[in-house]
Amino acid sequence: TQMIRRGGAFKEQLGTVTFAVNVPSSGNYAINVSHLTVGARNLNVSVNNGSPAYHTFRSTSSSWCWGKGGASTVVPLELTGLRAGINTITFGSSMTSMMPLIEWISVVV
């Protein structure tokens, strides 16, 4: 498990969060995404540098993880176009606003 990663616009720096996942066969897969955010935030997700799909991640608490009461939650997402073997899942490509903190992901196989 790779722990908390930050992307999107943060302190005037743009960034993405990328995970490599291995799946047994080509197709569509569900993933679980653990995230933290204050307020609902939009986030795009792409597979293997393909066209991004946009998702809204709801607020997890009234403060970030380093504040009092910060908490994460897990949301399921459906991803299309994975190939057998290693794939990249990128969060936040072309984002110009702050995105949720991505704590971890897991692929449902």
Side-chain angles (χ1 to χ4, degrees):
T1 300
Q2 297 180 26
M3 296 308 287
I4 297 174
R5 295 180 175 187
R6 179 177 45 236
F10 183 79
K11 295 187 178 181
E12 300 178 15
Q13 296 179 353
L14 298 179
T16 59
V17 173
T18 301
F19 292 89
V21 298
N22 190 358
V23 296
S25 59
S26 297
N28 301 338
Y29 285 85
I31 65 168
N32 292 312
V33 181
S34 177
H35 75 285
L36 299 96
T37 187
V38 175
R41 298 193 186 274
N42 294 320
L43 179 62
N44 60 37
V45 182
S46 63
V47 175
N48 297 323
N49 297 317
S51 297
Y54 288 83
H55 302 275
T56 299
F57 285 65
R58 66 179 178 84
S59 179
T60 58
S61 70
S62 61
S63 67
W64 291 98
C65 59
W66 52 83
K68 293 182 180 178
S72 63
T73 192
V74 176
V75 295
L77 299 178
E78 178 77 20
L79 298 182
T80 60
L82 277 78
R83 300 182 297 252
I86 302 295
N87 295 265
T88 59
I89 299 173
T90 302
F91 295 85
S93 176
S94 303
M95 296 294 292
T96 57
S97 61
M98 192 169 174
M99 63 183 251
L101 297 176
I102 304 300
E103 189 174 24
W104 54 262
I105 68 169
S106 64
V107 178
V108 180
V109 290

